[in-house]
Every structure is written in C-alpha cells, then in structure tokens.
Amino acid sequence: MASSNNHETISRASLHTQKKFELIEKYIMPWAQKLMNNSNCKGLVFIDCMCNSGLYYDANNALIEGTPLRVSRILRNIAGQYPCKHVYLYFNDRDEAKTALLSEIVPKETANFHIEITSKDASELLRTIGSKLSQPNLHYFLLYDPYDANIDWEALLPFFRHWGEVMINHMVSDPVRAISQVKKKSTMQKYEGTYMVSDFEKLVPFGSDKTAYEKRILQIINALKGKRRYYVAAYPFYNTQNSQMYSLIHCTSNPVGFELYKKTAWQTFGDHSSNKNNHGRENQLMLDFDGPGTLTTQTDESCFTVLDIAKYIHYCFKGQRDVPLEAVYGSLKSHPVFPADGYRSQIRDYLKSDFGAEIKVAKDPVTGKKETRISFAEGKFNYE
Ligand SMILES: C[S@@+](CC[C@H](N)C(=O)[O-])C[C@H]1O[C@@H](n2cnc3c(N)ncnc32)[C@H](O)[C@@H]1O
C-alpha cells in the first residue's frame, strides 16, 4: 500500500508519520542513556533497515527530518559522553537515490560513533547482521518500517532470539483495503508471508477486520520469541480521516524497555493511547445502561485516556481495602497498553474524585515503614 509519493527521494510526511518519527526519537534518547549508563553495556547498535532519505516535506513544503537524522544526532551526542563505548548505526534503503542523499546529510563519524549506509534489500542486510548478533554486551534496536504489510519473519527471527529490541510497523491498512481484490500471485505471496499462512485463501475471512490481522501478528511474534520472557506493546496511528493506518509494535525481553515504550507513546499522543481525534468526546458523561441511574464516560478502546486507566484500576480492585498504592500502580506493569509510570498523580486524583477511593498513609505493622494505602469503593462509580 505504498503511498503515491514513496518513490520520490524526498517524500511527503503526513501528520501520523511525523508522530511516528517523534515517538521513535523520544524513545531512543532514554533507551540509549539507560543502557550506556550500565557498566555491562559496551555499546549500542541501531538499525533502520528501510530508512528512506532522512528528509521529508511537511504539508507546508517545509523540510523535516526522518528517523535516521533524528536518531543519529541523539546517538552521536550520547557516544560523546561515553568515549570508551561504541555506537554503530546501520541505515539501509533499497532506493539508491535515497541512501545517496542520506549519506550527504548524516552527522560525521567520530572515533566511537560509526555509520554504515547501504542500498540493498532489507532482508539481505538483516541476514548479514543477524548472523553476528551474539557479540557480547552490544545492545540492539532494530526498526523494521515498510510502507506496506510486508514482513520477512525469517530475517527478523535472530533479532527476537537475542538481547535487543525490535520495532515493527504493521501497515494494517494495506490488507484491510486490498485483501478482497488481490489477483496477482506475487501480492498473494506477500500476504501469505506477512501473516504466515500456507494459503492466501485462509486470509480472505479476515476481510476488513483490523483486529484479526493485528492478532495474527501478535501470535507470530509470540511463536518466534521461543521460550523467552517477552513484552510486546502496540500503538495504533490514525490519519486525519480517523482511519487507522498502522500499528507501531515494540518487542523486547526487557521490562524496563517495555515500560519506557508505553510511557513514551502516551506522552507522544498527548496523554492518550493513540493520535485518534475523538472530537472532544472524551470524559463526556453519559447514562450507564449496565448500572441504571448512574453516569459513566465513554471508553474508546482505540484511544484510551488517563481516566480510562483509573476506571480499569477501579474495576480490578473495587471493594478492596487498604491496598498499598505502590501495588496498585505495579499492577499496570504487565498491562499491554496502560503505562505504570508517568501518570500516577493523575490516576490517584481520578480514583479519589471520580471513583470514591480513600487514600491514607499508614504504618506497616511488621516493618514499621510508612506507606500510602488506598481503599476502593464497592461497585460501579457514580457521578451523582
Ligand atoms: C516508511 S519508509 C521508511 C521511513 C524511515 N524508517 C523513517 O522512519 O524515516 C519505507 C522505506 O522502505 C524502503 N523499502 C521498502 N521495502 C524495502 C526493502 N525490502 N528493502 C529495503 N528498503 C525497502 C522504501 O524505499 C522506503 O524508503
């Protein structure tokens, strides 16, 4: 589902694409800093195997930077702070005009900051790097960012099995629009590979059901990770017509990276779980038909708010007394969408004001340590 201007050396970046750049940039800075601070980490490797030219036009024809330039600047800076550690960047795009432009504009290498720019098929690059992944103490981040639903799982496999993180752009709008009209054998094979089915016909019942494709991608990641403990978080991106274009899926065996991605995504989307425009309907009161006479707010599962996090916590803990607040926030750590960090005071305020929770500081009878505890109201919340 290549957009019409993808063949241009400098293509146009829509608002959702700019959000994607922003999210990756915001994530990479603390990711790199945390790892470089760790004495076990000897260096970082960042790979954008479908990197484009590094430059785009926005709607006003102003030039803006894509991921390779944003990330290079951040990582060059961080490399400067850790002269004994190395940073390696691999940028690749099969379009030679794009990589030629990128080569001219990336920041200069230094003694410990290295950039390799190639122009080949992404799978070929990943096979070369994938065979060297066992180098000790190097931490990898791989961005796999095609403009259509085209994922080579075999090339990605080594990255799921080694220490490091993988971010995949799942362009779900591609099959949703095209699956019922596909005639070409090569296109059928593309979808068979991406959704790992032996026969294209098995995908036809998926039709335009986005959730079905997304579920399938999560099943594949779950199978490829092997027996490792693994964390996957995916956030949807919408265009200005409020149609979901893709999900940016972050995969890691590191719970710190998982939490960081969730928090960064929410902050990038202005304290929501996506960039969907809900036209001011969030937090708008409506009658709750499950609990006659009570009022509730509408939950949009494609764009959650902080109030929805509080609603979820109330639902999980309702009726429980004197629960340590830390344990309540901690329960979000395994949640695939809600961050456990970054919104604690807002969640706490909502729990008190909208869900009737009571908060007090108490002494632990065994340790004697003071801790904040929360008691939850019974049943449904009520705005009356
Ligand atoms: C969505 S853009 C990448 C954007 C870039 N990652 C960024 O964040 O700035 C997709 C790019 O992938 C390249 N591409 C698509 N399929 C490829 C493949 N199999 N191998 C290498 N490059 C590919 C296209 O030429 C295009 O420039």
Side-chain angles (χ1 to χ4, degrees):
M1 212 237 10
S3 95
S4 55
N5 79 118
N6 257 313
H7 60 279
E8 306 283 354
T9 306
I10 301 182
S11 48
R12 207 157 281 286
S14 48
L15 288 175
H16 60 80
T17 303
Q18 295 175 39
K19 271 280 164 230
K20 176 182 71 176
F21 299 153
E22 198 185 318
L23 173 48
I24 297 170
E25 178 178 14
K26 276 204 179 122
Y27 178 77
I28 286 300
M29 195 177 315
W31 169 80
Q33 198 79 59
K34 273 180 205 287
L35 285 169
M36 292 292 248
N37 256 333
N38 183 331
S39 57
N40 289 325
C41 169
K42 297 281 174 267
L44 304 174
V45 180
F46 180 93
I47 307 157
D48 184 348
C49 62
M50 302 177 192
C51 65
N52 216 325
S53 66
L55 287 177
Y56 293 80
Y57 291 116
D58 71 7
N60 301 317
N61 285 336
L63 276 177
I64 56 165
E65 295 182 344
T67 301
L69 290 186
R70 293 169 187 239
V71 166
S72 306
R73 198 170 328 96
I74 293 167
L75 294 184
R76 191 177 192 271
N77 200 349
I78 288 179
Q81 298 163 29
Y82 299 88
C84 299
K85 302 188 179 193
H86 286 261
V87 174
Y88 303 90
L89 301 183
Y90 292 90
F91 294 136
N92 176 72
D93 200 289
R94 65 180 170 202
D95 183 326
E96 284 181 17
K98 293 180 177 181
T99 51
L101 173 57
L102 181 63
S103 302
E104 284 171 27
I105 55 181
V106 285
K108 288 209 166 18
E109 292 186 281
T110 66
N112 70 334
F113 173 76
H114 318 276
I115 303 185
E116 197 170 305
I117 300 177
T118 48
S119 206
K120 41 177 118 167
D121 190 79
S123 301
E124 196 188 330
L125 176 82
L126 295 187
R127 271 193 281 276
T128 314
I129 303 176
S131 62
K132 299 184 214 149
L133 281 179
S134 46
Q135 284 190 55
N137 309 112
L138 278 185
H139 290 252
Y140 286 79
F141 184 101
L142 166 62
L143 173 61
Y144 194 93
D145 188 15
Y147 47 51
D148 60 351
N150 198 352
I151 303 176
D152 179 352
W153 295 107
E154 206 181 319
L156 284 171
L157 182 64
F159 295 87
F160 286 119
R161 298 277 167 98
H162 283 89
W163 183 246
E165 310 198 343
V166 180
M167 186 176 277
I168 301 172
N169 183 342
H170 173 216
M171 191 59 82
V172 68
S173 50
D174 171 1
V176 161
R177 281 186 205 168
I179 215 90
S180 59
Q181 298 152 34
V182 178
K183 301 261 173 334
K184 269 169 63 185
K185 188 79 197 137
S186 59
T187 314
M188 289 182 185
Q189 283 166 345
K190 174 185 95 170
Y191 292 124
E192 285 169 4
T194 297
Y195 297 104
M196 282 191 126
V197 290
S198 51
D199 183 352
F200 176 77
E201 289 305 314
K202 292 192 173 148
L203 288 173
V204 176
F206 285 37
S208 57
D209 180 0
K210 287 187 183 114
T211 320
Y213 297 101
E214 298 203 305
K215 225 168 117 189
R216 180 67 192 144
I217 292 290
L218 295 182
Q219 280 171 347
I220 296 170
I221 294 170
N222 196 35
L224 295 186
K225 74 172 177 57
K227 290 205 169 73
R228 315 178 72 207
R229 191 183 54 161
Y230 218 60
Y231 304 90
V232 180
Y235 290 94
F237 285 69
Y238 290 80
N239 64 11
T240 45
Q241 283 84 48
N242 259 354
S243 264
Q244 185 184 344
M245 300 306 291
Y246 49 86
S247 287
L248 206 54
I249 311 170
H250 178 261
C251 315
T252 182
S253 57
N254 183 347
V256 179
F258 176 60
E259 188 51 46
L260 180 61
Y261 182 61
K262 291 194 289 174
K263 181 172 130 185
T264 313
W266 274 71
Q267 288 172 346
T268 308
F269 295 133
D271 308 330
H272 292 77
S273 68
S274 79
N275 66 332
K276 189 173 173 189
N277 184 352
N278 53 25
H279 302 287
R281 277 196 298 272
E282 70 178 67
N283 300 358
Q284 194 175 306
L285 292 177
M286 60 181 207
L287 270 178
D288 182 354
F289 294 106
D290 291 337
T294 59
L295 297 170
T296 185
T297 52
Q298 196 168 8
T299 294
D300 178 353
E301 294 188 1
S302 50
C303 189
F304 290 109
T305 64
V306 181
L307 179 59
D308 292 321
I309 306 181
K311 211 186 221 182
Y312 167 79
I313 289 179
H314 171 78
Y315 175 79
C316 294
F317 288 90
K318 65 185 171 207
Q320 294 189 38
R321 314 287 308 164
D322 289 329
V323 187
L325 200 53
E326 200 50 44
V328 170
Y329 297 136
S331 70
L332 294 172
K333 282 189 181 154
S334 56
H335 196 281
V337 179
F338 297 159
D341 259 330
Y343 293 96
R344 291 183 171 202
S345 59
Q346 275 160 274
I347 293 171
R348 180 189 157 125
D349 290 348
Y350 274 132
L351 287 171
K352 277 201 312 195
S353 63
D354 293 38
F355 298 89
E358 286 165 24
I359 293 178
K360 64 175 185 216
V361 178
K363 229 184 201 175
D364 186 296
V366 183
T367 62
K369 255 176 71 180
K370 279 188 177 170
E371 66 177 5
T372 309
R373 306 237 182 103
I374 177 163
S375 294
F376 292 88
E378 280 286 353
K380 298 191 80 67
F381 74 97
N382 193 335
Y383 277 96
E384 288 164 341

